[in-house]
Amino acid sequence: MAEPRLQRMTPEEFETWHQNQVERYEFVDGKPKLKFETWDGARMMVGATQAHILVAGNLFVALRQKLKGRACRVFAADGKIATPKGNYRYPDVAVDCGQFEPSATFLKEPRLVGEVLSKGTHWIEYDTQARGI
């Protein structure tokens, strides 16, 4: 397949293609986009700083404690969400209140999306709608 960021795909084509990739891609405006890639196509350093990991971890723990005993669950960086605009994103932390499906690759009912902002990620638009937990 051609360089992925240059080729438009359907969501179904993206899912099939993405299963065989080593790197993590998000699906943005009909095209694969490396999770750590700027809008002009330049690659950013892969991996997070200790500060980033600590903030995301603290958010995860705080939310998990708050939701203990409730139907909603907290997911870390690999929880994929589909946004209302049809994009697929991997936020640092997400709360999902949908039915738990062990083999599902999407969070079905995300209620909170948490992204630790930095110079490299402040531009990400999740185009989500806030809903109560």
Side-chain angles (χ1 to χ4, degrees):
M1 183 172 278
E3 179 63 32
R5 71 174 175 244
L6 301 177
Q7 183 169 333
R8 294 191 70 78
M9 297 181 178
T10 66
E12 295 79 17
E13 290 170 334
F14 171 78
E15 284 299 306
T16 300
W17 173 83
H18 196 231
Q19 290 174 8
N20 298 315
Q21 302 309 304
V22 174
E23 296 174 306
R24 183 184 312 164
Y25 288 82
E26 294 184 320
F27 186 64
V28 181
D29 300 329
K31 295 181 181 180
K33 185 168 196 57
L34 279 171
K35 169 70 175 167
F36 299 102
E37 179 180 357
T38 62
W39 284 107
D40 64 2
R43 289 185 180 201
M44 296 169 18
M45 187 173 73
V46 176
T49 63
Q50 287 186 15
H52 180 109
I53 296 165
L54 185 62
V55 171
N58 286 342
L59 179 58
F60 178 91
V61 169
L63 289 168
R64 184 165 178 154
Q65 289 173 343
K66 182 75 172 171
L67 296 172
K68 188 173 183 167
R70 298 174 109 182
C72 298
R73 292 157 312 283
V74 182
F75 291 87
D78 288 329
K80 180 171 45 177
I81 63 167
T83 71
K85 290 183 180 178
N87 295 327
Y88 300 161
R89 299 291 194 173
Y90 292 92
D92 291 318
V93 178
V95 173
D96 185 75
C97 297
Q99 182 176 345
F100 179 71
E101 299 174 31
S103 61
T105 60
F106 282 93
L107 303 181
K108 302 291 184 178
E109 295 181 38
R111 295 292 191 258
L112 182 138
V113 173
E115 182 69 26
V116 179
L117 299 181
S118 67
K119 289 180 181 178
T121 62
H122 72 277
W123 51 267
I124 295 174
E125 179 183 331
Y126 276 88
D127 58 79
T128 57
Q129 300 170 354
R131 292 177 260 177
I133 294 177

